[in-house]
């Protein structure tokens, strides 16, 4: 194999890069691209090829240019998300400007009399710049823009869309992605209720962005610095609404907290104070916002090692509980002392089912109805809770853009540490209100001399023992993912370890298609295979359940079957 770089393709790539350079308003990315172009050398050699094993500086430069300019970062239901740098296939001020003007054109085309947008941002590198660019460009385009007053959690932006009755919202964040990434998340107000975009809006916005990119240079787009900046009352309203999640009186319980170098702490601290909860012991090394993420390359509480500093702090101060937010505070991780010097880290499905149980009890006590919702790849445990309490249950496509839209939703969660407990104010996952709900459970348990692990035992006794595992296969090139999924669909496995595959279902054939293949084994274990929406991974979500015997026997059975399926799928996918 070789990488053909004939004169025509070289000229096209160089032209695209030069055109980019001419309109880029950012000095850093201009310098980065200028240096890269200087390494390309002469392009006047017809039919030249660069072999795969050519490691010369010039060859590497051409590969880099092709990666940056042969395509563009795709706008989809997750908005934009990618590595920062110069080029159409990177996150930068040119791509953001095109997205901002394209979103403005989309909103204007809907014919709303006074379209408006609220814009938030976190503390990642360049987030504030991308947010201000968006505000200036949308204001000039005729969309009334309001910028949040500082770097704030993503849930505050989701709240602001509803609170301000805005037509749309933009949150500049890459959430828990690696430190070199950034992203652009879009919400719609009105009939969309402040939820993230779903088809067909994503395709319509993408088309509007492409139209801007094809005919206009971003340095020629009009700008207007007359946008509004939201005052402190908006954040006050979010804090007050979130503090109301607490139902039980606080009891003495030492809690350690990490913000993972993100923006969660200042707002979360105010929520705690408003709810009458004592201050947490913070992980000093990670409490201040820092877009360089000096202690973690992958600031995701699910990643191995990400909570090491939290464990150290909690052990040193004698905490009983750890609360961890990801950098934009829309996700929540929870760990509890095991009483023997170690820590029990709850999985997303574990906290998800306990908070769902809490929501069901609250609804029942109030004589209310509603729906418990989760994603297709999350544990089926929530279905048992809904059945027990006579509530509705919905399994949606992955992502809170779908979960938040479930009819009559009173609670929703996904296994990737995302929880929606305050549906009246926020229609997205919210790590701050979820933390309050977890503390609510912990306080109620502590008042009776019990722990969250005891509550998990009670759940297992009532509903059965559920075991979840996840297998992930990472690829260097995201373009490989469709081929892997196509292979799974064409020749699904008939055996997973010692268990036979009893059922295969392809969700792409459903009325609302999803890129997921489900396998059900003859022992009842469920496997969901899907590509990640934010990383170059194929993921397998494995869930086993047992309702036979004692709680210990149930757990042993469920864990054994989940572990066996996970091991077999690693072998099949590798």
């Amino acid at each position: 194999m070789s990488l053909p770089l004939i004169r025509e393709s070289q000229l096209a790539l160089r032209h695209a890069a030069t055109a980019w350079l001419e309109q880029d308003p950012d000095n850093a990315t201009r310098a980065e691209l200028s240096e890269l172009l200087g390494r390309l050398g002469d392009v006047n050699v017809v039919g030249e090829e660069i072999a795969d094993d050519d490691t010369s500086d010039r060859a590497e430069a051409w590969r880099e240019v092709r990666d940056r300019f042969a395509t563009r970062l795709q706008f989809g239901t997750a908005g934009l998300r990618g590595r920062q740098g110069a080029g159409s296939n990177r996150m930068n001020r040119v791509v953001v400007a095109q997205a901002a003007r394209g979103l403005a054109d989309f909103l204007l085309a809907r014919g709303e009399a006074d379209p408006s947008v609220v814009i938030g941002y976190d503390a990642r590198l360049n987030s504030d710049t991308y947010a201000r660019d968006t505000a200036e460009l949308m204001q000039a385009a005729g969309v009334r823009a309001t910028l949040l007053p500082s770097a704030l959690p993503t849930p505050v932006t989701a709240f602001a869309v509803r609170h301000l009755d805005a037509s749309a919202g933009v949150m500049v964040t890459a959430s828990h992605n690696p430190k070199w990434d950034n992203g652009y998340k879009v919400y719609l107000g009105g009939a969309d209720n402040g939820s993230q975009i779903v088809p067909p809006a994503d395709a319509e916005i993408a088309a509007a962005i492409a139209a801007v990119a094809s005919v206009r240079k971003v340095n020629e787009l009009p700008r207007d610095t007359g946008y509004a900046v939201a005052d402190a009352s908006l954040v006050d309203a979010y804090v007050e609404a979130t503090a109301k999640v607490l139902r039980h009186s606080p009891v003495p319980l030492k809690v350690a907290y990490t913000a993972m170098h993100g923006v969660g702490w200042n707002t979360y601290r105010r929520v705690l104070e408003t709810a009458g909860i004592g201050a947490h012991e913070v992980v000093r090394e990670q409490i201040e916002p820092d877009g360089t993420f000096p202690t973690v390359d992958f600031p995701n509480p699910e990643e191995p090692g990400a909570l090491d500093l939290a464990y150290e702090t909690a052990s040193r101060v004698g905490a009983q509980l750890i609360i961890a937010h990801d950098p934009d505070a829309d996700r929540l991780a929870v760990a509890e002392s095991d009483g023997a010097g170690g820590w029990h880290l709850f999985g997303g499905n574990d906290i998800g089912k306990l908070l769902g149980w809490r929501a069901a009890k609250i609804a029942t006590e109030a004589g209310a109805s509603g729906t418990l919702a989760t994603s297709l790849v999350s544990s089926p445990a929530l279905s048992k809770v809904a059945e027990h309490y006579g509530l509705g249950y919905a399994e949606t496509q992955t992502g809170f853009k779908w979960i938040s839209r479930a009819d009559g939703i009173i609670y929703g969660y996904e296994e990737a540490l995302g929880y929606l407990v305050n549906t009246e104010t926020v229609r997205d996952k919210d790590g701050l209100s979820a933390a309050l709900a977890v503390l609510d459970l912990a306080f109620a348990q502590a008042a009776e001399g019990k722990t969250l692990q005891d509550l998990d035992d009670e759940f297992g006794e009532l509903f059965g023992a559920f075991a979840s595992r996840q297998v992930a296969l990472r690829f260097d090139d995201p373009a490989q993912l469709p081929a892997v999924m196509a292979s799974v669909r064409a020749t699904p496995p008939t055996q997973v370890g010692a268990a036979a595959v009893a059922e295969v279902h392809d969700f792409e054939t459903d009325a609302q298609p999803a890129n997921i293949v489900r396998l059900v084994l003859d022992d009842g274990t469920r496997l969901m295979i899907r590509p990640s929406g934010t990383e170059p991974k194929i993921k397998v979500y494995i869930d086993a359940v047992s309702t036979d015997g004692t709680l210990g026997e149930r757990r042993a059975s469920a864990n054994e079957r989940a572990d066996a399926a996970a091991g077999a799928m690693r072998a099949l996918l590798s």
Side-chain angles (χ1 to χ4, degrees):
M1 293 288 291
S2 63
L3 172 64
L5 281 171
I6 61 173
R7 182 171 182 271
E8 287 74 14
S9 62
Q10 289 176 326
L11 289 171
L13 286 171
R14 187 186 284 273
H15 174 75
T18 302
W20 186 274
L21 195 61
E22 291 173 352
Q23 62 178 318
D24 189 353
D26 190 282
N27 290 333
T29 46
R30 283 175 57 83
E32 173 189 317
L33 183 54
S34 295
E35 188 275 335
L36 182 59
L37 288 175
R39 292 162 51 199
L40 296 183
D42 189 11
V43 298
N44 293 317
V45 182
V46 178
E48 177 190 25
E49 292 184 353
I50 294 177
D52 286 346
D53 58 358
D54 185 346
T55 59
S56 67
D57 182 66
R58 181 167 177 267
E60 294 297 335
W62 273 115
R63 292 189 184 100
E64 183 70 14
V65 169
R66 188 179 71 162
D67 181 58
R68 290 170 181 256
F69 288 99
T71 186
R72 66 177 292 116
L73 203 60
Q74 294 300 305
F75 184 94
T77 53
L80 294 168
R81 191 176 293 188
R83 193 178 187 112
Q84 297 190 80
S88 57
N89 197 30
R90 296 287 190 272
M91 274 294 295
N92 49 63
R93 292 184 68 187
V94 174
V95 163
V96 166
Q98 292 166 343
R101 182 55 195 247
L103 176 59
D105 290 345
F106 164 82
L107 293 173
L108 292 165
R110 297 200 304 177
E112 188 175 338
D114 182 26
S116 59
V117 63
V118 59
I119 303 152
Y121 58 97
D122 66 8
R124 282 182 178 264
L125 298 180
N126 298 311
S127 286
D128 55 345
T129 299
Y130 298 156
R132 284 193 295 270
D133 281 346
T134 298
E136 292 177 8
L137 288 158
M138 296 191 78
Q139 182 75 22
V143 177
R144 185 164 43 86
T146 300
L147 185 67
L148 293 192
S150 61
L152 288 162
T154 289
V156 178
T157 300
F159 170 84
V161 175
R162 292 164 63 90
H163 186 72
L164 298 178
D165 195 23
S167 308
V170 170
M171 179 65 193
V172 182
T173 179
S175 191
H176 60 291
N177 270 40
K179 58 187 177 183
W180 44 79
D181 286 359
N182 214 325
Y184 202 80
K185 191 175 184 180
V186 177
Y187 302 88
L188 287 178
D192 290 270
N193 233 347
S195 294
Q196 295 176 58
I197 56 171
V198 296
D202 58 338
E204 294 169 1
I205 296 170
I209 294 170
V212 172
S214 66
V215 299
R216 306 188 72 173
K217 293 182 178 180
V218 301
N219 58 344
E220 297 174 354
L221 293 172
R223 289 174 175 258
D224 185 348
T225 59
Y227 56 84
V229 176
D231 61 35
S233 64
L234 186 145
V235 183
D236 293 344
Y238 171 83
V239 167
E240 291 171 8
T242 305
K244 291 177 182 177
V245 170
L246 190 74
R247 297 170 60 85
H248 293 90
S249 297
V251 300
L253 188 70
K254 187 165 285 189
V255 181
Y257 173 80
T258 178
M260 206 71 69
H261 298 297
V263 294
W265 177 235
N266 285 337
T267 306
Y268 181 53
R269 176 174 55 190
R270 291 188 56 200
V271 171
L272 294 175
E273 292 171 351
T274 303
I277 300 172
H280 294 348
E281 299 282 349
V282 301
V283 178
R284 295 292 176 188
E285 301 92 331
Q286 298 177 330
I287 199 63
E288 295 297 330
D290 188 340
T292 67
F293 298 100
T295 68
V296 282
D297 285 332
F298 295 87
N300 179 355
E302 291 183 297
E303 290 287 336
L307 293 178
D308 285 354
L309 285 172
Y311 291 142
E312 290 177 17
T313 298
S315 297
R316 185 179 68 252
V317 302
Q320 290 90 40
L321 199 66
I322 293 172
I323 295 290
H325 286 136
D326 69 339
D328 67 328
D330 65 347
R331 285 172 169 81
L332 168 73
V334 179
E336 187 177 54
S337 170
D338 64 8
W343 293 92
H344 174 79
L345 177 63
F346 291 93
N349 283 319
D350 299 325
I351 294 298
K353 72 189 183 189
L354 294 181
L355 292 183
W357 193 13
R358 172 183 178 273
K361 288 179 178 178
I362 292 172
T364 300
E365 290 168 3
S369 59
T371 298
L372 305 180
T374 189
S375 68
L376 286 165
V377 300
S378 299
S379 170
L382 203 59
S383 66
K384 302 300 182 183
V385 176
E387 181 182 358
H388 181 84
Y389 287 94
L391 295 170
Y393 174 70
E395 286 186 351
T396 75
Q397 296 185 47
T398 55
F400 268 84
K401 55 185 172 285
W402 298 109
I403 295 170
S404 66
R405 295 169 185 268
D407 288 340
I409 185 171
I410 57 173
Y411 168 78
Y413 94 94
E414 64 181 1
E415 44 68 44
L417 308 184
Y419 317 99
L420 171 54
V421 303
N422 205 4
T423 58
E424 292 304 309
T425 56
V426 175
R427 288 298 174 98
D428 197 6
K429 55 185 172 290
D430 181 351
L432 283 76
S433 59
L436 262 286
V438 167
L439 290 173
D440 192 45
L441 292 177
F443 291 152
Q445 289 294 104
E448 298 180 5
K450 298 178 181 179
T451 66
L452 292 178
Q453 292 165 84
D454 293 327
L455 185 63
D456 192 54
D457 289 346
E458 294 172 24
F459 188 99
E461 294 280 7
L462 182 58
F463 300 107
F466 293 80
S468 300
R469 303 289 186 271
Q470 188 179 129
V471 175
L473 182 65
R474 181 178 286 272
F475 295 85
D476 293 331
D477 183 359
Q480 295 173 270
L481 305 187
V484 175
M485 290 301 297
S487 176
V488 170
R489 290 187 165 94
T491 55
T494 58
Q495 195 84 12
V496 176
V501 175
E503 176 191 324
V504 178
H505 179 74
D506 183 356
F507 285 89
E508 272 203 339
T509 65
D510 288 2
Q512 288 191 334
N515 193 6
I516 299 173
V517 174
R518 180 180 65 204
L519 309 178
V520 179
L521 308 185
D522 59 5
D523 64 5
T525 303
R526 188 192 73 181
L527 294 81
M528 308 291 275
I529 306 170
R530 67 176 282 264
S532 170
T534 57
E535 301 173 276
K537 291 180 179 179
I538 294 290
K539 294 184 175 182
V540 184
Y541 303 80
I542 300 164
D543 288 285
V545 59
S546 176
T547 56
D548 297 328
T550 66
L551 178 59
E553 291 168 339
R554 291 178 179 186
R555 283 184 169 156
S557 174
N559 284 325
E560 181 181 354
R561 287 185 283 118
D563 287 338
M569 288 307 296
R570 285 190 191 96
L572 284 171
L573 289 174
S574 61

